[in-house]
Amino acid sequence: MRVMLRAHMDTAATNESIRTGGLPRAIQTLMERVKPEAAYFGLHEGVRSCWIVFDLQDSSLMPSLMEDLFLEFNAEVEVAPVMNAEDLVKGLAAMKSSA
Protein backbone atom coordinates (compact mmCIF):
# COMPACT_ATOMS: atom_id res chain seq x y z
CA MET A 1 0.00 0.00 0.00
CA ARG A 2 1.29 3.45 -0.89
CA VAL A 3 1.75 5.52 2.26
CA MET A 4 3.12 8.92 3.18
CA LEU A 5 5.34 9.16 6.21
CA ARG A 6 5.53 12.61 7.74
CA ALA A 7 8.09 13.29 10.44
CA HIS A 8 8.74 16.49 12.40
CA MET A 9 12.18 16.17 14.02
CA ASP A 10 13.28 17.83 17.25
CA THR A 11 15.69 20.73 16.61
CA ALA A 12 18.13 19.97 19.44
CA ALA A 13 18.29 16.27 18.53
CA THR A 14 18.82 16.97 14.82
CA ASN A 15 21.41 19.68 15.56
CA GLU A 16 23.46 17.16 17.51
CA SER A 17 22.96 14.51 14.85
CA ILE A 18 24.14 16.90 12.14
CA ARG A 19 27.31 17.61 14.18
CA THR A 20 28.05 13.88 14.49
CA GLY A 21 27.02 12.93 10.94
CA GLY A 22 24.13 10.82 12.20
CA LEU A 23 21.31 12.63 10.38
CA PRO A 24 22.63 12.05 6.85
CA ARG A 25 23.38 8.40 7.68
CA ALA A 26 19.94 7.81 9.20
CA ILE A 27 18.14 9.40 6.25
CA GLN A 28 20.25 7.45 3.77
CA THR A 29 19.50 4.19 5.61
CA LEU A 30 15.77 4.96 5.65
CA MET A 31 15.81 5.79 1.93
CA GLU A 32 17.60 2.52 1.13
CA ARG A 33 15.08 0.53 3.16
CA VAL A 34 11.84 2.09 1.88
CA LYS A 35 12.94 2.88 -1.70
CA PRO A 36 10.64 5.92 -1.85
CA GLU A 37 8.56 7.00 -4.80
CA ALA A 38 9.18 10.57 -3.59
CA ALA A 39 10.93 12.20 -0.64
CA TYR A 40 10.86 15.84 0.39
CA PHE A 41 12.70 17.64 3.18
CA GLY A 42 12.05 21.08 4.60
CA LEU A 43 10.61 23.04 7.47
CA HIS A 44 7.12 22.64 8.88
CA GLU A 45 5.91 24.49 11.94
CA GLY A 46 9.48 25.70 12.46
CA VAL A 47 11.19 22.30 12.67
CA ARG A 48 13.05 20.04 10.26
CA SER A 49 10.56 17.76 8.57
CA CYS A 50 10.32 15.12 5.90
CA TRP A 51 7.55 13.69 3.74
CA ILE A 52 8.31 10.30 2.22
CA VAL A 53 5.99 8.38 -0.10
CA PHE A 54 6.67 4.66 -0.41
CA ASP A 55 5.07 1.25 -0.74
CA LEU A 56 4.56 -0.26 2.72
CA GLN A 57 4.45 -3.95 1.88
CA ASP A 58 3.58 -5.09 5.41
CA SER A 59 2.43 -2.99 8.37
CA SER A 60 4.62 -5.09 10.67
CA LEU A 61 7.61 -3.25 9.14
CA MET A 62 6.54 0.06 10.64
CA PRO A 63 8.38 -0.26 13.98
CA SER A 64 11.74 -1.13 12.43
CA LEU A 65 11.41 1.53 9.73
CA MET A 66 10.46 4.36 12.07
CA GLU A 67 12.16 3.62 15.37
CA ASP A 68 15.32 5.59 14.50
CA LEU A 69 13.20 8.67 13.85
CA PHE A 70 11.80 8.38 17.38
CA LEU A 71 15.01 7.38 19.15
CA GLU A 72 17.55 9.58 17.38
CA PHE A 73 15.49 12.65 16.52
CA ASN A 74 12.58 12.69 19.00
CA ALA A 75 10.38 12.88 15.91
CA GLU A 76 6.62 13.16 15.74
CA VAL A 77 5.69 10.65 13.03
CA GLU A 78 2.50 10.04 11.10
CA VAL A 79 1.87 7.43 8.42
CA ALA A 80 -1.20 7.59 6.19
CA PRO A 81 -2.38 5.77 3.08
CA VAL A 82 -2.26 8.00 0.00
CA MET A 83 -3.10 7.82 -3.71
CA ASN A 84 -1.51 9.28 -6.78
CA ALA A 85 -3.66 10.76 -9.56
CA GLU A 86 -3.83 7.43 -11.40
CA ASP A 87 -5.10 5.66 -8.26
CA LEU A 88 -7.73 8.33 -7.74
CA VAL A 89 -9.03 8.01 -11.30
CA LYS A 90 -9.22 4.23 -10.90
CA GLY A 91 -11.04 4.52 -7.57
CA LEU A 92 -13.52 7.05 -8.88
CA ALA A 93 -14.20 4.90 -11.95
CA ALA A 94 -14.90 1.91 -9.70
CA MET A 95 -17.36 4.02 -7.70
CA LYS A 96 -19.17 5.10 -10.85
CA SER A 97 -19.46 1.55 -12.20
CA SER A 98 -20.92 0.27 -8.92
CA ALA A 99 -23.53 3.04 -8.71
Side-chain angles (χ1 to χ4, degrees):
M1 171 183 292
R2 180 182 285 116
V3 298
M4 180 182 296
L5 177 149
R6 181 208 46 92
H8 292 325
M9 297 172 275
D10 177 73
T11 300
T14 53
N15 285 348
E16 180 59 27
S17 189
I18 288 169
R19 286 187 200 98
T20 65
L23 182 61
R25 281 192 303 271
I27 296 298
Q28 180 179 358
T29 298
L30 181 59
M31 297 295 102
E32 289 169 358
R33 293 190 66 203
V34 302
K35 297 175 180 41
E37 176 180 318
Y40 301 96
F41 304 87
L43 296 176
H44 187 261
E45 297 179 355
V47 297
R48 292 177 182 104
S49 300
C50 64
W51 299 263
I52 302 169
V53 178
F54 64 98
D55 182 26
L56 181 61
Q57 307 235 344
D58 185 335
S59 61
S60 69
L61 297 171
M62 288 175 51
S64 67
L65 292 175
M66 294 164 215
E67 199 58 34
D68 286 346
L69 294 170
F70 293 120
L71 292 173
E72 293 185 38
F73 311 119
N74 298 327
E76 294 178 14
V77 179
E78 293 180 5
V79 178
V82 294
M83 296 179 285
N84 62 19
E86 187 178 298
D87 295 334
L88 179 60
V89 168
K90 182 179 175 182
L92 293 173
M95 286 176 50
K96 187 175 182 178
S97 66
S98 68

